[in-house]
Amino acid sequence: MFSKILIANRGEIAVRVIRSCRSLGIQSVAVHSEADSASLHVREADQAVDLGPGPASENYLNIERIIAAALETGAEAIHPGYGFLSENAGFAKAVVDAGLAFIGPSPEAISTMGEKVAARAVAIAAEVPLAPGSKEAITGAADVINFGTQHGYPILVKASAGGGGRGMRLVESEEHAEEAVAAAVREATAAFGNGEVYLERYLTSARHVEVQVFADKLGNTVYVGDRDCSVQRRHQKLIEESPAPGLSAELRTAMGAAAVRLAQHVGYAGAGTVEFLVEGENFYFLEMNTRIQVEHPVTEMVHNVDLIAEQIRVAAGEELSIRDRLTPSGAAIEARINAEDVAGGRFLPAPGLIEELTPPEGEGLRFDTGYMSGDEVLPYYDSLIGKLIAYGPDRETALARLEDGLERLLVRGVSTTVPASLKVVRHEDFQAARFTTRWLEETVDFSEEPEEESLARNEVEVGGRFYIIPQFSDRPGAVTNGGPVWAAPVEETAAGGQRPRNNRARGKGKASDGSVKAPMQGTIIKVNVEEGQAVATGDVLFVLEAMKMENPIQAPAAGIVGPVHAVVGDSMAAGTLLTQLVLEGAN
């Protein structure tokens, strides 16, 4: 067994790995960017190494620096977590070449299964069902149109080298093909350093079900139950659960067996996840993630296992120790708590200082996080604050405990996805397990979600730049719900009193003055307009990247573009004026 492990990651997963190391009596080494020097994973580790300033490409994605840190500190193995370099075959090979153990599968398995087109070929060889898709990477919009003519729409353009919703665009018709391909390539290049994309027929009434596989280096391969991850927006998961509700025993067994065949076909070792789309009793291979998943805690809860510890044991050459815990007991449901503003259904990244973070306590509740009160959610990285997991002897109990936990989870200082998660778990469709991957975006209306009190805003102009100033209200009657503080917006009545004002009326009723501003801190990655250009309401004028996601900035009304104050590569503060439209009909 290893005596010291370096964790090549940050945030919640780094803390999670550190704690499993501690349970095994293994020392941990954290690495961090200069910006992350005060982060929780740095404080939790036995040692920490500063990888320097700059963007993630210069620290968390710097293979040479990370391996040097491992060698300098005497670490014998590296755990990559999820994201960053976790599915980078070159990193895994460099770790092995340096005489260290990589806590994950072989570089060859990562390369094969991480390249999505090659993974589809493996699925065919392993006799795993597939949805229609392109046989190789595409070169442009013409490939999308030809595929659509043959297989129909909608179509997904997907990054060959990554996952997590990045580098993915839904194409509803051929007129959207060119922009979808360009955006997917751009985002895939930024996130994974590889702009290759491929196509897959999008199943409109499917569920997203994944199977946890585990294999040791001695030839033992098993599957450890399944999870449902259908509740997504913008291809980002919001709620996950295990076991996937409502599946027949025959379907579960068939999917599990297919996942094992796939893993065995590439000589897999370690933890991996095989993702499927499920329609009725049919299932289709989606992709394989050659790492631990964000949602792994729900599997841990229903199988009474520590999957991180098992990863470490397998990497050290030990035999699988979980083969007697493959049958799930009870149910577990997880809500991802992201620093995002969901008011009006926006789901915009909302980095900032967490003034207070108090997780709920109670039977069956678990909170995995990378933050504590006083920590800051930085705008440079993923917005995940933590994951609230609820376990119960049955799904109904787990669901009730999750709702109770969400109500009592206290996060002050940043906006979170708690209100959205509460709306989902209270929805009759979710409670009855009636949902697909499109359910959240097509059925659940977040437009009426109130703005959190900590995000009530005043806007000021200083030196020609616009800034958004948080305003904290002491107004009696603010809704707290025992958790994040929401202040119901109010408006003056004709009689001089106040009444609640909903966000939908607010957003649609206020006439635009034509100003177009950055909705959050981020980097401009696309400018679609120039001064003097005529635009229509809803036209995408700019694309801003924040927390690894692209955010289109649309024209609030029809008009003529004024001076453009942004170029590609500019870093913008929230509220910065990008352009001023001269509105139609204006004098």
Side-chain angles (χ1 to χ4, degrees):
M1 179 49 67
F2 311 115
S3 61
K4 185 180 289 188
I5 292 173
L6 181 142
I7 298 93
N9 219 295
R10 67 177 301 278
E12 177 271 329
I13 187 58
V15 174
R16 172 73 185 84
V17 176
I18 288 167
R19 291 177 177 171
S20 280
C21 286
R22 189 178 300 144
S23 72
L24 293 171
I26 300 170
Q27 287 194 312
S28 58
V29 180
V31 293
H32 62 91
S33 65
E34 184 178 80
D36 255 343
S37 59
S39 295
L40 181 60
H41 78 285
V42 175
R43 306 196 303 268
E44 286 271 321
D46 296 299
Q47 288 178 262
V49 177
D50 189 342
L51 298 178
S57 60
E58 297 178 14
N59 36 72
Y60 289 114
L61 295 173
N62 191 313
I63 294 174
E64 290 184 3
R65 286 190 186 181
I66 291 171
I67 291 177
L71 295 173
E72 289 166 6
T73 57
E76 302 145 307
I78 294 180
H79 194 301
Y82 51 71
F84 288 132
L85 294 168
S86 62
E87 293 181 282
N88 186 308
F91 177 56
K93 184 177 187 303
V95 171
V96 175
D97 289 347
L100 304 168
F102 180 75
I103 302 178
S106 68
E108 293 76 20
I110 294 174
S111 178
T112 300
M113 300 312 295
E115 205 284 305
K116 303 302 189 289
V117 177
R120 289 176 62 88
V122 172
I124 292 171
E127 299 183 344
V128 177
L130 283 168
S134 57
K135 295 181 180 179
E136 56 190 22
I138 66 168
T139 59
D143 292 333
V144 179
I145 295 170
N146 290 337
F147 185 87
T149 300
Q150 182 178 359
H151 298 287
Y153 293 88
I155 301 166
L156 273 179
V157 181
K158 301 181 68 176
S160 294
R166 301 185 185 98
M168 184 183 297
R169 288 295 183 275
L170 183 65
V171 184
E172 298 280 2
S173 58
E174 67 177 60
E175 56 263 30
H176 300 130
E178 186 170 349
E179 175 56 29
V181 172
V185 169
R186 190 168 58 241
E187 195 170 89
T189 302
F192 313 116
N194 182 338
E196 280 196 352
V197 295
Y198 72 104
L199 305 178
E200 193 171 85
R201 180 73 167 87
Y202 188 73
L203 303 178
T204 58
S205 59
R207 288 170 58 183
H208 183 146
V209 179
E210 58 189 33
V211 174
Q212 176 73 63
V213 293
F214 229 113
D216 59 28
K217 298 177 180 179
L218 306 175
N220 301 302
T221 307
V222 299
Y223 69 93
V224 194
D226 51 62
R227 301 183 286 256
D228 192 294
C229 307
S230 303
V231 180
Q232 308 173 9
R233 80 277 184 271
R234 295 188 302 193
H235 309 293
Q236 295 287 306
K237 300 165 186 174
L238 184 66
I239 305 284
E240 300 109 345
E241 61 181 298
S242 182
L247 303 185
S248 68
E250 293 77 14
L251 179 58
R252 291 188 202 277
T253 301
M255 278 195 300
V260 168
R261 288 198 305 272
L262 197 73
Q264 289 175 329
H265 196 84
V266 291
Y268 200 85
T273 300
V274 182
E275 301 191 346
F276 297 102
L277 292 175
V278 174
E279 280 190 332
E281 289 296 304
N282 298 314
F283 64 95
Y284 307 94
F285 173 70
L286 186 59
E287 63 184 18
M288 183 178 190
N289 293 309
T290 55
R291 53 171 167 80
I292 198 73
Q293 291 281 93
V294 177
E295 57 271 21
H296 74 272
V298 292
T299 296
E300 292 184 325
M301 299 288 274
V302 299
H303 289 273
N304 190 29
V305 296
D306 181 338
L307 293 177
I308 303 295
E310 193 73 357
Q311 280 186 297
I312 294 170
R313 294 188 190 100
V314 165
E318 295 185 6
E319 189 174 5
L320 282 177
S321 67
I322 59 175
R323 284 181 290 172
D324 60 341
R325 282 169 280 174
L326 303 181
T327 302
S329 175
I333 310 176
E334 171 184 292
R336 297 193 189 188
I337 312 301
N338 294 320
E340 294 181 13
D341 179 7
V342 303
R346 291 175 293 192
F347 286 96
L348 298 178
L353 179 69
I354 299 176
E355 298 171 357
E356 184 177 357
L357 173 58
T358 304
E361 295 182 355
E363 185 175 0
L365 290 178
R366 164 179 166 181
F367 188 63
D368 287 10
T369 183
Y371 298 87
M372 296 179 69
S373 299
D375 289 338
E376 184 177 4
V377 179
L378 298 171
Y380 321 116
Y381 310 114
D382 189 88
S383 64
L384 181 70
I385 294 175
K387 303 171 303 195
L388 181 62
I389 308 103
Y391 171 82
D394 49 54
R395 187 174 187 265
E396 291 72 23
T397 304
L399 190 56
R401 288 176 176 173
L402 181 60
E403 181 179 0
D404 170 65
L406 287 168
E407 289 173 343
R408 294 188 292 111
L409 173 62
L410 177 60
V411 184
R412 295 184 190 272
V414 296
S415 183
T416 73
T417 51
V418 167
S421 293
L422 276 169
K423 192 155 196 171
V424 168
V425 300
R426 290 169 175 164
H427 199 287
E428 62 180 5
D429 286 349
F430 185 79
Q431 292 179 352
R434 294 191 302 262
F435 45 72
T436 68
T437 55
R438 305 189 81 173
W439 171 78
L440 187 67
E441 294 180 334
E442 293 183 347
T443 305
V444 184
D445 181 12
F446 294 110
S447 63
E448 301 289 349
E449 285 302 316
E451 190 168 317
E452 294 187 20
E453 181 173 21
S454 61
L455 290 180
R457 294 176 174 123
N458 285 327
E459 190 177 85
V460 297
E461 182 180 359
V462 180
R465 300 192 73 177
F466 290 84
Y467 297 88
I468 292 173
I469 310 298
Q471 174 184 322
F472 297 87
S473 171
D474 293 323
R475 175 176 53 80
V479 183
T480 64
N481 290 334
V485 179
W486 299 293
V490 297
E491 62 185 2
E492 299 296 325
T493 66
Q498 292 183 330
R499 66 185 176 200
R501 178 174 61 185
N502 68 61
N503 281 300
R504 175 178 288 176
R506 208 171 140 202
K508 292 184 178 179
K510 183 179 178 181
S512 170
D513 63 359
S515 61
V516 179
K517 302 170 186 176
M520 70 203 80
Q521 180 174 335
T523 301
I524 296 294
I525 60 172
K526 192 170 186 183
V527 177
N528 291 335
V529 292
E530 57 185 22
E531 186 175 356
Q533 181 176 336
V535 295
T537 303
D539 283 355
V540 177
L541 311 184
F542 306 90
V543 179
L544 180 141
E545 183 180 62
M547 290 188 170
K548 302 183 181 180
M549 294 298 290
E550 291 190 3
N551 300 275
I553 301 173
Q554 299 172 307
I560 304 298
V561 177
V564 176
H565 306 300
V567 297
V568 173
D570 278 354
S571 180
M572 295 292 179
T576 302
L577 182 67
L578 304 178
T579 190
Q580 179 74 41
L581 302 181
V582 179
L583 303 181
E584 287 185 354
N587 294 325

